[in-house]
Amino acid sequence: AFRNGWNLLDLFAVLAAWVDLGAIPDPSNNMPNLTAARVLRLVRLTKVLRVVRVAKIFGELRLLIKTFVASMLSLFWAVVLLLLAMVIASVFIGQLIQPVVLDSTRDIDVRIQAHEMFG
C-alpha cells in the first residue's frame, strides 16, 4: 500500500516542506539555498494533482472545476472593465472639481474641502 504512487508523492511533498521550513538544515553552508527552496515549493504544489484524481471520480466536481477555470478569463476582463470605469469616473470628477479648487473668489475652506475630498 505504501508503494502507491500517490503515497510516495505525499511523502516527497512533506519532506520538501520540512526542508523548506528549515527542519533539515544544510550543513554545507550557512546561507539557505533559495533556488532549492523555490523548487521544493513547486513540488509541494503537486498535491493539487490529488484534487484532479478525485475530480475523475466525481463527474459533477470535475464539471465545477472546469467551469471555474473557464470563468477566470471572463473574470479578468470584468475586473479590467471595472477599473477602466473607475478611471474614467475619477477623471470626470477631477475635471468637474478643478474650477472650484482654482476659483480664488470662493471661500478658502470650500476650496480646501473640495481638494481634500476629491483631490
Side-chain angles (χ1 to χ4, degrees), residues 21-32:
L21 293 174
I24 303 173
D26 184 11
S28 64
N29 60 6
N30 292 333
M31 296 297 293

Side-chain angles (χ1 to χ4, degrees), residues 19-68:
V19 171
D20 187 33
L21 293 174
I24 303 173
D26 184 11
S28 64
N29 60 6
N30 292 333
M31 296 297 293
N33 188 354
L34 296 179
T35 304
R38 288 184 187 117
V39 169
L40 292 175
R41 283 187 195 133
L42 287 174
V43 169
R44 285 191 311 178
L45 289 176
T46 58
K47 290 192 83 161
V48 173
L49 293 175
R50 294 201 111 184
V51 173
V52 173
R53 185 180 72 151
V54 170
K56 289 179 182 177
I57 297 171
F58 301 107
E60 294 85 6
L61 179 61
R62 185 176 62 234
L63 179 63
L64 284 173
I65 291 172
K66 282 183 177 181
T67 305
F68 178 75

Side-chain angles (χ1 to χ4, degrees), residues 100-101 103-117:
V100 174
V101 174
D103 187 7
S104 60
T105 61
R106 290 194 184 260
D107 185 28
I108 189 69
D109 292 331
V110 172
R111 293 171 59 197
I112 290 173
Q113 185 180 12
H115 177 68
E116 287 175 353
M117 292 185 73

Side-chain angles (χ1 to χ4, degrees), residues 80-94:
V80 168
L81 183 64
L82 287 173
L83 289 175
L84 182 64
M86 288 173 58
V87 168
I88 290 171
S90 65
V91 168
F92 180 71
I93 291 174

Side-chain angles (χ1 to χ4, degrees), residues 2-16:
F2 184 72
R3 297 215 181 256
N4 184 349
W6 291 107
N7 288 338
L8 292 174
L9 180 67
D10 283 344
L11 174 68
F12 190 66
V14 168
L15 290 176

